[in-house]
């Protein structure tokens, strides 16, 4: 079993971006890709909406992205398809199809999806023999042929444009009279003489001579028409596959897209999703790389928090620590700044991640008595939460200070997660109460 801090699954634009940032941050990370790096853009001919590249082929952009990540030392394993991911305590265990396993504190899922099928007779039978879901991969086999592209979205129009290089005639078959594709793609494709729209029409069957496609049957205005074609290129949407990798439940929407918060965190602590497999408005390369950047930067923080929490609560069950770490907020304070003040409501609990803090008690005469100096791994703020009273001491940053803050419910569930953890926090709180009351110093 190989151990990493972070495993990135998927080598498309999102995965390569996450990998680039992880490598630059010197994280212990690996990117696993089931095929070759590039992902969905390898199936795209020309990309004209990625800033800085007025026109670039999908293959070229994929190569540039991979080279960029490799330049910073990213470890990439290609042809390493992942079979399943399961949660074990605070780790994610990633089982590969070849039987090997990897383990990590955090995982970023960037596996995209697969094309939706029409689900009509003949589609499966002629897949690879005239039925295709990738014009860039298969278009050149159909030089001088009559072809049909099915769908009215960006993919149908973009891939349709590519097919106009080879087709004698291109039928655009769509179930509605309007196309949802971007205007620029629509105008370009529909302006071509060889393009013929068939709308509103639904494909009923794909047929042929047993070895290759020869026709499609479409229904239009209640009548079935047979259109002779040698190739059928289907672009009727996309099915995300990220959720299928999980043995445990992971939140997804009704179409299977993984639901995340604004940091790209899924419902499983330490599991992030970016790119086309995530529920979002736009499936663009630009959004995929943005999502991935957010995911990896947050994952880096999550991993640090988790390690800090494990140092502070060695007895707590690891899965509870992982859950708690994902709920905590990082707060930073300059030297001298007050983190919590005597007399205030007690609603937060803190663990020191970096730096030192001093605990002071204000006496009735207004003077201050220093009670303690706290270091990385120490915690504070539990006394007021457990007693239900206002803060009975002030904590101030002694050096630059980074703390992890947790709400009162989070502390209570951490304490109830194991007898030893609950007893230990209660013991510390009790001894501090006595000191702060002046009974023991
Ligand atoms: P899409 O936008 O969901 O379009 C799917 C098309 O297939 C729609 O026109 C839909 O019809 C039709 N359709 C769906 N189910 C069907 C069925 N069972 N039978 C017949 N037709 C059916 O999918 P997409 O074109 O693959 O694009 C996916 C995402 O990638 C989109 O967000 C898109 O913007 C993005 N993308 C962007 C670019 C680019 O920026 N250049 C290129 C490609 C893809 P209705 O219109 O009636 O629903």
């Amino acid at each position: 079993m190989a151990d990493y801090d972070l495993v990135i699954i998927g080598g498309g634009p999102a995965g390569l971006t996450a990998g680039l940032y992880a490598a630059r941050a010197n994280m212990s990370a690996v990117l696993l890709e089931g095929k070759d790096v590039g992902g969905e853009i390898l199936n795209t001919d020309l990309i004209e909406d990625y800033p800085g590249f007025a026109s670039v082929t999908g293959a070229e952009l994929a190569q540039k992205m991979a080279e960029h990540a490799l330049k910073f030392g990213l470890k990439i394993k290609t042809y390493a398809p992942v079979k399943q991911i399961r949660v074990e305590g605070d780790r994610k265990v990633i089982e590969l199809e070849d039987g090997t396993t990897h383990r990590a504190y955090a995982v970023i899922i960037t596996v995209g999806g697969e094309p939706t099928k029409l689900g009509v007779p003949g589609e499966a039978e002629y897949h690879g023999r005239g039925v295709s879901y990738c014009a860039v991969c298969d278009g050149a086999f159909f030089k001088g042929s009559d072809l049909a592209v099915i769908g009215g979205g960006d993919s149908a129009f973009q891939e349709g444009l590519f097919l106009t290089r080879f087709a004698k005639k291109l039928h655009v078959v769509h179930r509605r009279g309007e196309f949802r594709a971007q205007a620029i793609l629509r105008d370009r494709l529909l302006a071509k003489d060889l393009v013929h729209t068939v709308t509103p029409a639904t494909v009923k069957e794909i047929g042929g001579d047993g070895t290759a496609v020869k026709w499609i049957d479409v229904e239009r205005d209640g009548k079935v028409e047979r259109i002779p074609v040698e190739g059928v290129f289907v672009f009727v949407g996309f099915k995300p596959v990220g959720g299928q990798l999980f043995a445990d439940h992971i939140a997804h929407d009704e179409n299977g897209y993984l639901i995340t918060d604004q940091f790209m965190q899924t419902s499983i602590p330490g599991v992030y999703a970016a790119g086309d497999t995530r529920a979002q408005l736009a499936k663009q390369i630009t959004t995929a790389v943005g999502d991935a950047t957010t995911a990896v930067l947050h994952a880096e923080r999550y991993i640090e928090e988790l390690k800090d929490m494990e140092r502070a609560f060695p007895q707590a069950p690891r899965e509870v620590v992982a859950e708690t770490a994902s709920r905590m907020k990082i707060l930073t304070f300059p030297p001298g700044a007050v983190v919590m003040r005597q007399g205030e409501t007690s609603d937060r609990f803190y663990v020191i991640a970096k730096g030192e803090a001093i605990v002071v008690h204000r006496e009735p005469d207004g003077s201050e008595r220093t009670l303690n100096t706290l270091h990385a791994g120490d915690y504070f703020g539990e006394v007021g939460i457990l007693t239900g009273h206002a803060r009975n001491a002030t904590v101030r940053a002694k050096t630059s200070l980074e703390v992890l803050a947790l709400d009162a419910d989070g502390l209570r569930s951490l304490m109830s997660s194991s007898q030893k953890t609950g007893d230990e926090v209660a013991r510390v709180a009790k001894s501090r109460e006595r000191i702060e009351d002046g009974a023991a110093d």
Side-chain angles (χ1 to χ4, degrees), residues 44 49 116-118 150-156 158 173-176 178-180 182 185 201-202 235-238 276 281-284:
T44 308
D49 52 8
T116 307
K117 307 288 186 296
L118 276 172
I150 320 294
D154 284 338
S155 296
Q158 196 171 50
V173 182
H174 179 42
R175 64 182 178 185
R176 288 188 300 129
E178 299 83 40
F179 301 106
R180 66 168 70 217
Q182 301 165 36
L185 295 174
T202 49
F235 302 105
V236 294
F238 175 86
D276 288 356
L281 176 68
K283 285 198 223 62
Q284 301 289 318

Side-chain angles (χ1 to χ4, degrees), residues 343-361:
E344 283 178 354
T345 312
S346 306
D347 55 358
R348 268 182 169 183
F349 167 74
Y350 303 90
V351 178
I352 299 184
K354 289 190 188 96
E356 289 183 357
I358 52 167
V359 187
V360 295
H361 188 263

Side-chain angles (χ1 to χ4, degrees), residues 13-15 17-18 21 108 110 264 273-275 287-297:
T17 303
Y21 276 82
I108 303 179
T110 69
M264 310 302 140
T287 53
V289 303
D291 291 355
T293 308
T294 304
V296 70
L297 294 180

Side-chain angles (χ1 to χ4, degrees), residues 312-430:
F313 298 100
Q315 318 266 26
R318 293 299 169 102
E319 64 277 11
V320 177
V321 178
E323 168 71 35
T324 309
S326 73
R327 288 174 64 166
M328 298 188 91
K329 282 204 177 89
I330 293 190
L331 303 175
T332 52
F333 298 88
V338 170
V339 182
M340 62 174 220
R341 195 181 297 278
Q342 189 173 336
E344 283 178 354
T345 312
S346 306
D347 55 358
R348 268 182 169 183
F349 167 74
Y350 303 90
V351 178
I352 299 184
K354 289 190 188 96
E356 289 183 357
I358 52 167
V359 187
V360 295
H361 188 263
R362 199 178 54 248
E363 303 295 330
D365 64 4
S367 63
E368 273 191 351
R369 184 163 57 106
T370 300
L371 302 176
N372 204 355
T373 301
L374 302 173
H375 308 90
D378 290 339
Y379 51 81
F380 58 93
E382 76 290 349
V383 175
I385 292 175
L386 298 183
T387 59
H389 298 145
R391 301 290 191 202
N392 59 0
T394 293
V395 175
R396 215 180 272 137
K398 187 175 176 193
T399 61
S400 288
L401 185 72
E402 195 175 290
V403 295
L404 309 176
L406 183 67
D407 56 42
D409 285 346
L411 174 63
R412 286 188 200 101
S413 53
L414 185 64
M415 288 180 70
S416 61
S417 68
S418 84
Q419 183 77 38
K420 281 185 176 160
T421 306
D423 290 351
E424 174 61 12
V425 177
R427 185 191 64 73
V428 170
K430 203 83 204 143

Side-chain angles (χ1 to χ4, degrees), residues 7-11 15 30-33 82 85 94 107-111 245:
V7 170
I8 299 158
I9 303 175
V30 65
L31 184 153
L32 305 174
E33 161 59 50
V82 170
I85 303 166
I94 299 114
V107 178
I108 303 179
I109 309 295
T110 69
V111 290
L245 296 174

